[in-house]
Amino acid sequence: MTTELTYLAATLVLALVQILLPAGARTMEFGIGWNAGARDQTPESHNPVVGRLERAQSNLYETLPPFIGAVLVAHVTGAESALTLWGVALYFWARVAYIPLYALGVPYIRSLVWLVSLAGLILILVALFI
């Protein structure tokens, strides 16, 4: 498996982790009975971290489909290069750093880290056209 595909697989694991983090935080707040139930009435969380983790998850899911597509197209067409390697690494590690920054409510740096992940995605896309 190429390094790019390894980073893609790691990003998919990260996506799974980002499903579990807000779910776990909500369960801690509302209890296992709430989680095991139908959750027809989800109470509003009073813990800001819950909402931040949910928004961080949403944010990942906005760029995840283009990332997956770009990595797969690069692999299938043989466009993997130093650009794609840098792109996947920047995207993945920025997404990892983004989670605690968002959960802790760190402004500006969080946005800068998001831009780094976007730059990684753009590097992969650029590699497809050169």
Side-chain angles (χ1 to χ4, degrees):
M1 186 157 59
T2 65
T3 303
E4 288 86 347
L5 290 178
T6 301
Y7 269 110
L8 175 56
T11 302
L12 295 175
V13 171
L14 181 64
L16 180 60
V17 167
Q18 285 202 251
I19 290 170
L20 298 174
L21 287 173
R26 278 198 179 274
T27 299
M28 286 178 54
E29 184 172 2
F30 301 129
I32 193 120
W34 169 82
N35 192 352
R39 293 183 255 167
D40 292 327
Q41 301 295 322
T42 299
E44 185 176 332
S45 174
H46 296 291
N47 182 350
V49 173
V50 172
R52 291 174 189 163
L53 288 170
E54 289 172 343
R55 290 188 298 278
Q57 174 192 7
S58 254
N59 186 275
L60 171 66
Y61 288 0
E62 290 171 0
T63 59
L64 189 57
F67 175 75
I68 293 168
V71 172
L72 291 178
V73 169
H75 180 72
V76 168
T77 63
E80 293 165 322
S81 66
L83 281 178
T84 58
L85 187 58
W86 275 99
V88 294
L90 285 172
Y91 182 87
F92 175 77
W93 291 111
R95 295 311 316 190
V96 168
Y98 189 83
I99 299 166
L101 291 171
Y102 207 140
L104 296 170
V106 177
Y108 305 111
I109 296 172
R110 182 195 85 221
S111 296
L112 180 62
V113 168
W114 180 85
L115 286 172
V116 170
S117 75
L118 183 62
L121 177 55
I122 289 169
L123 284 177
I124 301 165
L125 292 171
V126 166
L128 299 178
F129 295 99
I130 60 168

